[in-house]
């Protein structure tokens, strides 16, 4: 039995949609699902102004110069229309996602209770934040030269390809924020465990503050790194193999370790505040929705 033309067309469209969805990077699919849990509110408000990207047509007003009139669009009606370009200053969002070896750590690598690595959670949150920014008409990209901030769906595919590598090339033990390419007066998000050189982190924040960049820092930690649930003889080794320490009584180190972690966290929070940034911590054992909501709200507060 042959199907009617409309049903054939609908079936063909469905198959094409399924093929297209199947080609989407898994990380982008997960990021869009996560982004769907966040209400946009006023995030990403678009305004007319100097820029390169077309935003909208609007009726010409008294005082608009003739060179801004789109005569082709105006010819289709009795009204003259002007092409507004999107205001791009302070509309760029740059993401730094720590790709160092330490971000590959998880304290529950397999079986029941498995949780993602710190790096996997950071990449998911970064891409979900990018989805929200693009939906709001903003330009978003990665710090550094690989993906400067751009608008649109194509940029999300680019970011997904760059962030979707679950097994990146080996890097240093600990990461240092990359600030190249972050536009002056723009905004930035740092996602890391911030276990690297704290002086380098302070220098990056200072350099960005001098350029009028505001932003947020989210420290991503595995519960084992906060709770220190180790006893007896234990060998501690950095993910990159650059550091190694053996102890016979790990429990004796617990109080000192927790004190040093709290001290570092307090220092990071102070550094962020001095630069006009905001700081928080996220545990990989908790759902990512709360972290994304905090990032979204923190960027909104920083906008004012």
């Amino acid at each position: 039995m042959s199907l009617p033309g409309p049903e054939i067309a609908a079936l063909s469209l469905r198959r094409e949609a399924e093929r297209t969805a199947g080609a989407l990077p898994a990380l982008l699919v997960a990021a869009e699902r996560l982004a769907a849990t966040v209400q946009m509110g006023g995030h990403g408000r678009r305004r007319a102004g100097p820029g390169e990207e077309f935003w909208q047509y609007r009726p010409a007003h008294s005082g608009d110069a003739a060179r801004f009139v789109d005569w082709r669009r105006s010819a289709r009606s009795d009204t003259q229309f002007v092409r507004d370009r999107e205001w791009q200053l302070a509309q760029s969002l740059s993401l730094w996602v720590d790709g160092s070896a330490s971000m590959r750590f998880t304290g529950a690598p397999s079986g029941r209770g498995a949780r993602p690595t710190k790096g996997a959670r950071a990449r998911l949150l970064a891409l979900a934040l990018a989805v929200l920014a693009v939906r709001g008409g903003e330009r978003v990209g990665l710090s550094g030269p690989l993906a400067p901030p751009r608008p649109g769906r194509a940029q999300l595919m680019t970011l997904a390809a760059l962030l979707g590598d679950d097994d990146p090339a080996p890097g240093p033990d600990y990461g240092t924020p990359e600030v190249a390419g972050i536009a002056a007066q723009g905004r930035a998000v740092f996602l890391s465990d911030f276990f690297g050189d704290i002086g380098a982190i302070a220098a990056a924040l200072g350099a960005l503050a001098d350029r009028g960049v505001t932003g947020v820092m989210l420290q991503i930690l595995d519960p084992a790194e906060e709770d220190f649930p180790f006893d007896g003889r234990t060998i501690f080794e950095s993910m990159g193999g650059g550091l190694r320490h053996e102890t016979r009584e790990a429990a004796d180190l617990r109080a000192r370790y927790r004190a040093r972690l709290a001290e570092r966290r307090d220092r990071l929070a102070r550094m962020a505040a001095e630069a006009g940034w905001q700081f928080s911590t996220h545990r990989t054992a908790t759902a990512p929705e709360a972290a994304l909501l905090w990032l979204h709200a923190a960027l909104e507060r920083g906008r004012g």
Side-chain angles (χ1 to χ4, degrees):
M1 183 180 69
S2 61
L3 295 174
E7 292 188 20
I8 293 176
L11 181 60
S12 176
L13 180 61
R14 177 181 174 183
R15 288 174 176 170
E16 180 62 26
E18 289 174 347
R19 283 194 297 270
T20 302
L24 288 176
L27 179 61
L28 181 55
V29 174
E32 290 187 321
R33 288 174 179 167
L34 178 58
T37 66
V38 175
Q39 293 295 325
M40 282 297 297
H43 190 61
R45 290 182 295 272
R46 300 175 71 172
R47 290 181 279 174
E52 298 178 357
E53 300 295 331
F54 169 73
W55 176 25
Q56 66 176 3
Y57 290 111
R58 65 166 174 81
H61 299 152
S62 175
D64 284 332
R67 69 179 182 274
F68 295 129
V69 174
D70 188 296
W71 298 107
R72 178 178 296 181
R73 172 65 182 86
S74 301
R76 300 200 301 267
S77 70
D78 296 330
T79 303
Q80 292 182 344
F81 285 89
V82 170
R83 289 172 61 94
D84 267 344
R85 297 182 183 276
E86 184 181 353
W87 187 76
Q88 293 173 0
L89 296 178
Q91 291 289 308
S92 291
L93 175 64
S94 297
L95 308 169
W96 175 65
V97 182
D98 188 349
S100 64
S102 70
M103 296 297 286
R104 299 202 299 266
F105 177 74
T106 176
S110 62
R112 186 175 181 180
R115 53 184 176 261
T117 65
K118 295 182 290 183
R121 179 56 56 83
R123 294 192 296 272
L124 173 62
L125 289 171
L127 193 55
L129 201 58
V131 169
L132 291 175
V134 165
R135 287 179 182 174
E138 297 192 43
R139 302 162 68 89
V140 62
L142 302 179
S143 64
L146 294 180
R150 292 191 177 94
R153 177 76 178 178
Q155 178 73 343
L156 292 179
M157 297 297 289
T158 297
L159 297 179
L162 292 171
L163 294 172
D165 188 356
D166 290 331
D167 188 22
D173 273 341
Y174 304 105
T176 299
E178 187 173 12
V179 299
I182 298 179
Q185 308 302 320
R187 295 175 303 145
V189 173
F190 288 176
L191 300 164
S192 173
D193 56 17
F194 299 108
F195 284 168
D197 180 5
I198 201 161
I201 299 170
L205 287 173
L208 292 177
D210 289 343
R211 296 183 353 225
V213 176
T214 59
V216 297
M217 300 168 59
L218 184 65
Q219 183 182 44
I220 300 176
L221 298 178
D222 186 274
E225 294 173 319
E226 287 195 304
D227 302 335
F228 202 82
F230 308 107
D231 291 296
R233 181 177 180 272
T234 307
I235 298 175
F236 298 99
E237 187 171 16
S238 62
M239 295 297 294
L243 298 173
R244 189 176 188 274
H245 176 74
E246 181 176 354
T247 179
R248 294 182 180 276
E249 293 295 339
D252 292 345
L253 302 176
R254 186 172 297 121
R256 281 182 290 167
Y257 170 85
R258 288 178 174 173
R260 292 190 63 179
L261 179 63
E263 179 184 355
R264 172 169 281 256
R265 185 176 292 166
D266 289 344
R267 186 172 176 187
L268 288 166
R270 289 196 304 272
M271 286 164 38
E274 290 169 1
W277 285 42
Q278 297 177 70
F279 173 84
S280 188
T281 300
H282 170 67
R283 289 166 62 108
T284 57
T286 61
E289 286 82 1
L292 182 61
L293 281 166
W294 180 84
L295 287 166
H296 178 262
L299 286 171
E300 276 297 295
R301 289 192 295 270
R303 186 189 291 272

